[in-house]
Amino acid sequence: MSNPYIPNIAVIRKIITENAVNDIKTFEVVFEDPELAESFTFNPGQFGMVSYFGAGECPIGIASSPTDQGFLQFTIKKVGVVTTALHNSMEGQKIGVRGPYGNGWPIEAMEDKNIVIVGGGFAFTTLRSLAKYMLHDENRDRYKDITIIYGARNPGELSYKYDLENWGKRNDLDLVITVDKGDAEWTGREGYVPTILKEVSPSSENAVAAVCGPPVMIRFTMPVLTELGFQPDRILLSLEMRMKCGIGKCGRCNVGNKFVCQDGPVFTQKELESMPKEY
Amino acid sequence: MNSKILGKNQLTKFIDEFIGEYRVFAPVKKGKIIGFDEIASGKETCLDFQNTKQPPKSVFFPQTEVLFEYKKGEKGLEKAGSGDRDKILLGMRPCDARALVIFDRFFSSGEHEDLPYLQKRERTAVVGLACNHPLNTCFCTSLGGSPFGSEGMDLKLVDLGDEYLVEILTNKGEKLVEDIKWLRDAEESDLNRARDLAEDAENAMKPKISTDGLCDKLDGMFDDPVWEGIHQKCIGCGVCSFLCPTCWCFDVLDEDTGTGVKRVRIWDTCQFPLFTKQGSGFNPRPSGKERMRQRIMHKFNYYPKDFGEFGCVGCGRCVRECPVNLDIREVIRAVMSV
Amino acid sequence: MEDLGKTMQDVARRLLEEGKVDLIVGYEKGTTPIRSTPCFIREAGDVQKLIWDPTCEANLTKYLLDRDERIGVVAKGCDSRSIVVCLAEGQIDRDRVTIIGVPCQGVINRKKIEAELDKQEVVEATVNDEEIKVRGEGFEKVLPTTNYLCDSCLSCRHRNPVIYDFLVGEKVPEVEDANDFAEVEELESRSSEDRWDYFTEELGSCIRCYACRNVCPMCYCKECFVDETMPQWFGKTDDLSDTMIFHIVRAYHLAGRCVDCGACSRACPMEINLRALRKKAEKIVKERFDYEAGTDVEEAPVLGTFKQDDSQEYIIK
């Protein structure tokens, strides 16, 4: 029995600024222990507990794909003590990483199905992990049609622009990018994610929808998916909750008789309907 | 092995048999209150109480606990030490002993066991103390417990007047007393007296609060208006949770030591507003109503659904100590009468 | 003797029936002997729950904060003073509060009775201003109420409410010359080592439950200083240094605002003497600024104003 509260030491190898106002950065980290760096594996949708020693620890979804060898990526928005400390770090800084925790997107159950990914804002991070995984040469042919609808408040807020550019060139994927409000240079779509989803109108036939975004986006996206014919057990949501231990012990992510850090963060709409509305 | 008899005037001698080989935790008088602490000699023990102010969870799950230290420079991560002698926890009432079993079950559940707690907990023998005189605030019998219950104990002391009956309940308990040759064997009359006392104690308990079907009843009550009234006088402090033998929620913080960083865990409670407040500022439990509902639902619905028993042992500490006399028994009655 | 509880019920009933208030906050009988508990009444038919006796210890001012309803609140002398402080600090809207003042001759400290009975459990009790009749397994006693009052009540100089819309009962004589700094003076006379030992012992058992903070009407900050993280001012563990600083800073925050209602001491499950630090701060404020909290709603908060003739002894020696 090992102590689950002890983090593994990782080193920040690269820091990528994702958005124009510079409060979302992607941190590429490598475990100090080469064996762990080699053997660490996870499912898209799982999260790690990331420590900045002295500031604390917080749960961050893993943004890289399991197909990325030897490193992990975390996309972090600066909101509080720990995230600010991370944002002020330089390459070479040692941090702690515990994990992977949570259930992740059900990549096996999603095989042989059409996939509709709907993401809003910076919550897109674990959907990016899912998309990268599915689009990888080794995995692509296990999934049928893939539609990605990703929106942000404005063009400056769109993250992973480098991925979006590559994905746009592919012909085995329907990529739809939108912003709530464009700027002078923006030539793409304009509109809230739920509105664009309705316009794109992906088929719900043999399809699974994976959704992640701010509460207001979720609230308006759910009825659209239902209207398109998606059954509650075919709609997947990733919940955000305050977490401290990540292993179902400290009690704060408790919703009903479930712990979001253990039984989630991914739940089907059907499961959520039987849980108290406290998330 | 037969039950033994320990004279009350031999209690100190009995406890001293273990000091040295074991770390012994017993109720001691700490200023104005009685709480559990490690003792260096049997005479520090005080068994003249109905129940301790703080539950024994603080022995294995202290208010503040260092999880590890990260020292600047070469040293890096240092785990908090764990090497320990065997322990004896003496003088636990049946409700607290049951609570410890609940704690054990929860902390060893799921994919990741809580090592810091379990490490302290294993290698601990529990010597319980039956309740001859339950208080009017005790309600263990309404929740599946009993003033003479044995769950979670290795030995059980029963106060027969001038002597204690020492009941041997497990192999661990047997091992503790097998070398103490001066304990005399209990006789039939002693066992009968203990049985009579058990019956008296059960009869002395205030009438049971009906909890039949409480878990199922709460299933449909998440949005029930009953929660509006229940929480009104609650002031949102941590007294009920911190004195509760079955509450385990904690917070994790980093503390700067000057030469490095200590990661500590401290008691926390779902009654504090910051418990669920997210980084975005959104709080799924924004007011006392949601937080009180969480406490009650967790103890009597969410936890039982997964573990098959209530998350409350009826010790009555919250009833006695709540600054505004918010009585959980009244809450149960209010819910049952909806 | 006049049954003030009945009078209180009548006042409450009238206020509800006439639609002057939406909610009455008073005291009802508690679930254990010698205890009352705050009660919230919205229907005139429920007013018979209201009681008034020396178990009515809670400072109900707490429940006036952050509510939109028009509230009729029962207030003892000390409670009325905390209402004055909250009014002066803009936390309560005077138009939405109807104060049902009641003169008080002290509330009971249950811990003193427990100590007297050597922890024998009280099963039944009747309480009035003169005597407390207790009954338990194998004993029955009559105790004079005045011997078992809270420490804050023993030196109370404001038994009558200083502000009220209705007064229940007749005013009682004040004890003008009560020395409410007797305990502080005793502590001041000790050496600093003794005082350090005393406070180390008292505060060493603090479990950081924040009952003292939460029961106090003057602790109304949306985010308490101990919970701030950016920056984090103090630690939250039960290390003595963390705990001491919490209590010291809290005493500072209450200087010139605390009315010594005693709610914090009564709330503390570990029976810590919480009044000592705050009483010292109160004494300093009295000496330096000749100010006592909560006596005059027109007076501005003492540490929120600056007068030219304020004492400056700590700056210029």
Side-chain angles (χ1 to χ4, degrees):
Chain A
M1 192 177 21
S2 64
N3 190 338
Y5 299 107
I6 311 282
N8 305 299
I9 308 289
V11 182
I12 299 180
R13 174 163 91 178
K14 197 158 87 174
I15 304 178
I16 307 161
T17 303
E18 294 288 356
N19 66 348
V21 298
N22 201 11
D23 70 351
I24 300 180
K25 290 186 183 169
T26 294
F27 295 83
E28 196 169 287
V29 308
V30 180
F31 285 114
E32 235 182 21
D33 176 2
E35 253 179 66
L36 183 61
E38 175 92 24
S39 63
F40 189 87
T41 183
F42 63 97
N43 278 346
Q46 286 191 299
F47 65 94
M49 292 295 288
V50 178
S51 293
Y52 185 98
F53 297 110
E57 202 181 33
C58 59
I60 310 277
I62 303 178
S64 51
S65 158
T67 50
D68 293 324
Q69 294 289 356
F71 65 88
L72 288 180
Q73 284 178 336
F74 295 100
T75 303
I76 302 178
K77 186 173 169 121
K78 184 162 94 161
V79 288
V81 185
V82 182
T83 48
T84 302
L86 286 165
H87 268 244
N88 292 340
S89 309
M90 315 275 260
E91 286 165 21
Q93 173 73 39
K94 289 192 192 181
I95 60 171
V97 177
R98 285 194 292 131
Y101 296 133
N103 56 356
W105 304 105
I107 44 179
E108 272 158 29
M110 289 161 92
E111 285 180 13
D112 289 325
K113 301 209 171 43
N114 298 314
I115 311 292
V116 178
I117 291 177
V118 185
F122 131 85
F124 186 64
T125 182
T126 58
L127 288 172
R128 181 247 193 180
S129 170
L130 179 66
K132 277 197 89 170
Y133 173 82
M134 288 181 168
L135 292 171
H136 193 271
D137 288 336
E138 279 173 25
N139 304 319
R140 182 62 188 91
D141 55 6
R142 292 211 299 279
Y143 302 96
K144 296 203 148 32
D145 296 337
I146 299 181
T147 309
I148 299 179
I149 301 173
Y150 169 42
R153 263 205 297 272
N154 56 59
E157 286 291 302
L158 285 166
S159 298
Y160 313 117
K161 292 190 179 60
Y162 36 90
D163 284 331
L164 298 178
E165 206 181 299
N166 288 336
W167 293 348
K169 297 180 189 147
R170 295 174 75 121
N171 58 7
D172 59 351
L173 153 74
D174 188 9
L175 178 66
V176 180
I177 309 294
T178 177
V179 293
D180 293 352
K181 196 163 166 54
D183 59 17
E185 284 109 43
W186 182 250
T187 52
R189 290 198 196 220
E190 232 179 88
Y192 296 117
V193 166
T195 318
I196 301 298
L197 171 64
K198 201 163 175 169
E199 271 174 36
V200 170
S201 194
S203 166
S204 57
E205 179 88 26
N206 189 33
V208 173
V211 185
C212 198
V216 64
M217 185 204 100
I218 308 260
R219 201 163 68 232
F220 289 102
T221 303
M222 288 292 116
V224 176
L225 287 170
T226 311
E227 218 180 284
L228 289 171
F230 282 88
Q231 294 300 312
D233 62 349
R234 291 294 185 91
I235 303 175
L236 303 164
L237 275 165
S238 184
L239 290 190
E240 180 181 310
M241 280 296 266
R242 188 175 170 92
M243 296 176 188
K244 283 283 184 164
C245 69
I247 56 169
K249 296 288 175 295
C250 76
R252 67 194 0 88
C253 73
N254 169 232
V255 180
N257 65 329
K258 299 207 192 310
F259 286 106
V260 175
C261 67
Q262 280 194 135
D263 306 297
V266 175
F267 293 99
T268 62
Q269 177 64 14
K270 184 157 186 239
E271 281 172 307
L272 287 175
E273 274 161 14
S274 70
M275 284 158 61
K277 273 240 156 359
E278 274 189 332
Y279 48 84
Chain B
M1 200 176 183
N2 282 335
S3 296
K4 301 286 181 189
I5 290 289
L6 171 69
K8 274 197 175 162
N9 52 8
Q10 297 172 311
L11 180 66
T12 304
K13 188 173 163 194
F14 177 69
I15 297 172
D16 282 337
E17 291 271 353
F18 305 113
I19 306 254
E21 197 189 327
Y22 297 86
R23 291 180 68 191
V24 182
F25 295 84
V28 298
K29 213 163 179 345
K30 296 199 236 190
K32 301 167 218 169
I33 61 176
I34 298 188
F36 280 91
D37 217 345
E38 190 167 0
I39 55 174
S41 128
K43 63 182 193 290
E44 291 170 45
T45 314
C46 171
L47 289 188
D48 182 22
F49 66 95
Q50 181 43 38
N51 213 346
T52 54
K53 179 74 71 156
Q54 269 177 286
K57 71 179 178 185
S58 21
V59 172
F60 309 111
F61 180 64
Q63 207 277 353
T64 302
E65 182 172 6
V66 178
L67 294 172
F68 63 83
E69 260 194 81
Y70 182 82
K71 291 207 163 42
K72 290 186 188 150
E74 288 285 323
K75 283 196 141 188
L77 214 66
E78 259 176 37
K79 298 170 199 192
S82 66
D84 216 351
R85 280 172 284 154
D86 288 347
K87 293 186 275 293
I88 294 183
L89 190 49
L90 184 126
M92 279 227 287
R93 294 295 186 183
C95 51
D96 288 339
R98 260 192 91 207
L100 216 53
V101 174
I102 290 177
F103 244 85
D104 293 346
R105 260 203 273 280
F106 177 73
F107 273 146
S108 47
S109 69
E111 223 177 287
H112 306 275
E113 296 177 323
D114 190 297
L115 190 82
Y117 169 85
L118 291 169
Q119 246 175 5
K120 292 192 206 45
R121 179 72 179 94
E122 68 189 7
R123 306 171 65 185
T124 302
V126 173
V127 180
L129 179 63
C131 294
N132 291 22
H133 302 285
L135 292 170
N136 275 280
T137 48
C138 295
F139 56 107
C140 60
T141 48
S142 307
L143 296 163
S146 151
F148 269 62
S150 307
E151 196 180 338
M153 299 179 189
D154 298 295
L155 292 175
K156 182 165 74 183
L157 301 178
V158 180
D159 186 344
L160 300 177
D162 292 323
E163 298 165 321
Y164 290 109
L165 176 71
V166 183
E167 269 183 54
I168 298 165
L169 300 165
T170 62
N171 289 338
K172 216 188 234 180
E174 189 165 337
K175 243 178 117 284
L176 278 184
V177 295
E178 66 189 1
D179 291 327
I180 305 181
K181 304 288 182 211
W182 48 265
L183 287 170
R184 74 160 171 85
D185 283 333
E187 278 152 40
E188 196 61 38
S189 55
D190 300 316
L191 300 175
N192 286 338
R193 174 121 177 79
R195 264 192 285 274
D196 288 339
L197 287 169
E199 203 177 309
D200 288 343
E202 289 255 355
N203 292 340
M205 294 283 298
K206 266 190 130 168
K208 279 198 201 177
I209 310 162
S210 169
T211 54
D212 284 332
L214 175 60
C215 177
D216 289 332
K217 182 147 194 179
L218 282 168
D219 257 345
M221 286 183 68
F222 189 76
D223 293 311
D224 195 287
V226 73
W227 305 112
E228 296 283 351
I230 285 177
H231 80 98
Q232 284 184 111
K233 58 191 179 191
C234 174
I235 55 171
C237 68
V239 170
C240 54
S241 310
F242 287 11
L243 297 186
C244 173
T246 56
C247 273
W248 53 64
C249 288
F250 57 88
D251 197 359
V252 181
L253 324 155
D254 279 9
E255 302 249 309
D256 202 324
T257 58
T259 52
V261 165
K262 266 198 295 209
R263 180 156 295 162
V264 296
R265 73 169 168 194
I266 59 171
W267 288 351
D268 206 349
T269 164
C270 54
Q271 302 304 296
F272 289 157
L274 286 187
F275 192 64
T276 47
K277 190 168 178 189
Q278 294 174 15
S280 60
F282 170 66
N283 191 343
R285 295 192 197 124
S287 84
K289 170 183 131 186
E290 290 86 27
R291 298 193 280 267
M292 176 57 61
R293 174 177 61 191
Q294 163 66 13
R295 181 174 175 76
I296 304 301
M297 293 291 276
H298 181 260
K299 289 197 171 294
F300 299 105
N301 179 271
Y302 305 154
Y303 179 81
K305 279 217 269 234
D306 286 336
F307 291 87
E309 62 193 343
F310 288 124
C312 169
V313 292
C315 72
R317 286 185 175 92
C318 58
V319 175
R320 292 190 287 276
E321 300 297 334
C322 172
V324 294
N325 190 213
L326 204 161
D327 193 324
I328 200 171
R329 300 171 299 177
E330 294 300 308
V331 175
I332 298 175
R333 284 198 188 98
V335 166
M336 289 298 281
S337 67
V338 158
Chain C
M1 199 190 24
E2 199 190 344
D3 183 358
L4 295 181
K6 189 90 189 13
T7 317
M8 207 176 276
Q9 290 170 13
D10 290 337
V11 172
R13 183 182 301 111
R14 266 206 332 272
L15 285 171
L16 284 168
E17 280 173 348
E18 289 168 16
K20 297 252 167 60
V21 300
D22 306 310
L23 168 66
I24 294 280
V25 180
Y27 306 95
E28 62 176 326
K29 197 154 175 7
T31 59
T32 55
I34 322 180
R35 256 212 110 160
S36 67
T37 185
C39 83
F40 294 73
I41 297 177
R42 291 186 169 83
E43 306 286 330
D46 290 333
V47 300
Q48 53 259 33
K49 287 197 226 170
L50 290 171
I51 63 165
W52 170 251
D53 63 34
T55 65
C56 296
E57 59 181 35
N59 188 337
L60 300 174
T61 311
K62 183 85 200 177
Y63 300 108
L64 296 175
L65 303 165
D66 281 333
R67 277 180 194 264
D68 292 331
E69 294 159 296
R70 295 165 308 154
I71 306 180
V73 66
V74 176
K76 314 189 282 288
C78 45
D79 304 340
S80 70
R81 284 170 61 211
S82 31
I83 295 180
V84 168
V85 175
C86 288
L87 282 169
E89 294 178 356
Q91 295 301 311
I92 301 176
D93 185 351
R94 184 66 181 95
D95 295 330
R96 303 185 81 83
V97 172
T98 304
I99 304 170
I100 307 170
V102 56
C104 163
Q105 301 194 66
V107 296
I108 293 170
N109 181 339
R110 286 190 319 280
K111 302 283 189 275
K112 290 189 180 176
I113 298 184
E114 268 171 38
E116 167 74 30
L117 298 175
D118 195 25
K119 300 243 174 347
Q120 289 177 89
E121 194 193 10
V122 174
V123 171
E124 217 179 285
T126 45
V127 176
N128 61 42
D129 278 324
E130 274 85 44
E131 54 188 31
I132 309 167
K133 289 201 186 103
V134 291
R135 194 177 64 71
E137 197 179 307
F139 72 91
E140 214 171 300
K141 272 189 170 156
V142 177
L143 306 168
T145 308
T146 42
N147 290 4
Y148 298 93
L149 297 178
C150 289
D151 287 339
S152 47
C153 302
L154 295 175
S155 53
C156 169
R157 287 179 296 104
H158 296 280
R159 298 167 146 198
N160 298 302
V162 303
I163 180 176
Y164 54 85
D165 296 301
F166 295 88
L167 187 68
V168 171
E170 297 289 316
K171 285 202 174 175
V172 296
E174 298 283 8
V175 183
E176 295 291 335
D177 59 354
N179 179 9
D180 50 345
F181 296 120
E183 191 194 12
V184 174
E185 283 159 8
E186 196 277 316
L187 281 167
E188 280 171 341
S189 71
R190 299 196 203 177
S191 71
S192 66
E193 283 88 25
D194 271 351
R195 273 181 273 138
W196 177 252
D197 287 340
Y198 176 76
F199 282 109
T200 309
E201 168 108 28
E202 286 288 324
L203 297 174
S205 51
C206 175
I207 54 173
R208 306 297 291 268
C209 67
Y210 305 115
C212 52
R213 174 193 75 182
N214 284 31
V215 84
C216 176
M218 263 63 86
C219 275
Y220 51 70
C221 288
K222 288 281 180 281
E223 187 157 273
C224 178
F225 71 94
V226 286
D227 293 325
E228 295 256 6
T229 51
M230 290 177 77
Q232 184 177 13
W233 301 110
F234 307 111
K236 301 177 85 162
T237 67
D238 68 352
D239 278 349
L240 192 64
S241 60
D242 285 341
T243 301
M244 275 218 172
I245 204 79
F246 165 67
H247 288 282
I248 290 171
V249 174
R250 197 167 162 262
Y252 264 103
H253 285 179
L254 287 169
R257 306 167 65 228
C258 169
V259 299
D260 200 16
C261 66
C264 53
S265 292
R266 290 190 291 267
C268 178
M270 310 308 276
E271 301 182 40
I272 298 171
N273 176 5
L274 291 168
R275 294 175 60 239
L277 286 171
R278 244 165 300 99
K279 221 46 198 169
K280 171 73 177 172
E282 193 185 318
K283 182 165 178 272
I284 297 175
V285 166
K286 184 96 206 253
E287 284 165 359
R288 295 229 178 120
F289 307 107
D290 190 25
Y291 178 88
E292 196 180 2
T295 48
D296 183 353
V297 75
E298 299 300 322
E299 219 174 347
V302 65
L303 293 181
T305 35
F306 177 71
K307 297 198 178 114
Q308 292 281 31
D309 60 351
D310 272 341
S311 157
Q312 298 184 65
E313 70 187 71
Y314 52 94
I315 305 172
I316 304 158
K317 267 286 187 207

